[in-house]
Amino acid sequence: MMKKNLSAGLLLVFCGVVSARAQGIPGTLNAAGGAAVVNNNVYEWSVAEMALVTTFSGSNIALTQGVLQPMEPTGTSVTDVNWFKQHFTLYPNPAQNRINLNCNIKQSGKLTLRITDVVGREMQRKQYDLQAGSTEVPVDISTLLTGNYLLEMFFNNAGSNYNTTYKFQKQD
């Protein structure tokens, strides 16, 4: 009887040590941000906007999970981002029924637009043959639910390929 109580007690102590240890392991996977220790407290930050944010907290821990979204258009390279900033303007943002894409390009090409929600589900995909010069491309978003979306843009002209992603907000 004494051995059973001792074994059960050791098991509880061991589980308590393991669970206490699990709570004490710090770690953050963060691609854009940093961390600092101030007065034995760890402060971590991110540079972006958060969508789908949920925060859970306990006596010794706070966990925030969500989807980080860039505040500026992003592409596969700095060249892509700069090229799109020079040749394309997306407005209005936020929008209710339609967003407009103002294109001012020097050579004709094919533009592919893909709208996804913040978890990556494709909502729309369209292709346009653009001529050199200034063109206005209206994009109907009236069927989308209120929320944040990503507009992925792929442009091919004369053997050059560019792509980038813009974030926009659909409102009622």
Side-chain angles (χ1 to χ4, degrees), residues 47-52 67-71 118 148-150 167:
V47 181
E49 293 181 59
M50 292 289 286
L52 299 176
V67 179
L68 279 177
Q69 299 182 53
M71 295 173 71
V118 293
N148 293 318
Y149 294 90
L150 301 175
K167 184 190 92 161

Side-chain angles (χ1 to χ4, degrees), residues 96-128:
Q96 291 183 342
N97 295 315
R98 182 176 86 184
I99 53 176
N100 298 300
L101 188 61
N102 187 325
C103 315
N104 191 0
I105 53 177
K106 295 179 183 175
Q107 294 181 343
S108 61
K110 183 173 289 212
L111 175 69
T112 303
L113 300 179
R114 180 176 178 251
I115 297 177
T116 62
D117 63 11
V118 293
V119 293
R121 292 180 295 225
E122 184 174 298
M123 309 308 284
Q124 284 185 31
R125 179 187 293 259
K126 294 193 178 183
Q127 287 189 340
Y128 302 89

Side-chain angles (χ1 to χ4, degrees), residues 3-19:
K3 282 186 179 182
K4 285 184 182 179
N5 288 341
L6 183 60
S7 297
L10 287 175
L11 182 61
L12 288 173
V13 168
F14 177 72
C15 289
V17 168
V18 170
S19 66

Side-chain angles (χ1 to χ4, degrees), residues 11-155:
L11 182 61
L12 288 173
V13 168
F14 177 72
C15 289
V17 168
V18 170
S19 66
R21 222 182 209 180
Q23 293 294 324
I25 298 174
T28 298
L29 178 59
N30 190 347
V37 177
V38 179
N39 296 329
N40 293 326
N41 293 315
V42 177
Y43 295 91
E44 297 174 334
W45 63 88
S46 300
V47 181
E49 293 181 59
M50 292 289 286
L52 299 176
V53 178
T54 307
T55 300
F56 304 95
S57 60
S59 60
N60 294 329
I61 190 169
L63 170 67
T64 300
Q65 61 183 2
V67 179
L68 279 177
Q69 299 182 53
M71 295 173 71
E72 289 288 323
T74 60
T76 56
S77 70
V78 173
T79 305
D80 287 357
V81 173
N82 290 336
W83 189 86
F84 273 98
K85 280 184 175 182
Q86 291 173 2
H87 300 287
F88 291 86
T89 306
L90 179 73
Y91 68 94
N93 191 7
Q96 291 183 342
N97 295 315
R98 182 176 86 184
I99 53 176
N100 298 300
L101 188 61
N102 187 325
C103 315
N104 191 0
I105 53 177
K106 295 179 183 175
Q107 294 181 343
S108 61
K110 183 173 289 212
L111 175 69
T112 303
L113 300 179
R114 180 176 178 251
I115 297 177
T116 62
D117 63 11
V118 293
V119 293
R121 292 180 295 225
E122 184 174 298
M123 309 308 284
Q124 284 185 31
R125 179 187 293 259
K126 294 193 178 183
Q127 287 189 340
Y128 302 89
D129 289 319
L130 299 181
Q131 301 303 315
S134 184
T135 306
E136 185 88 5
V137 177
V139 180
D140 181 17
I141 60 169
S142 62
T143 59
L144 298 177
L145 297 175
T146 299
N148 293 318
Y149 294 90
L150 301 175
L151 175 67
E152 295 177 277
M153 299 171 50
F154 305 92
F155 187 76

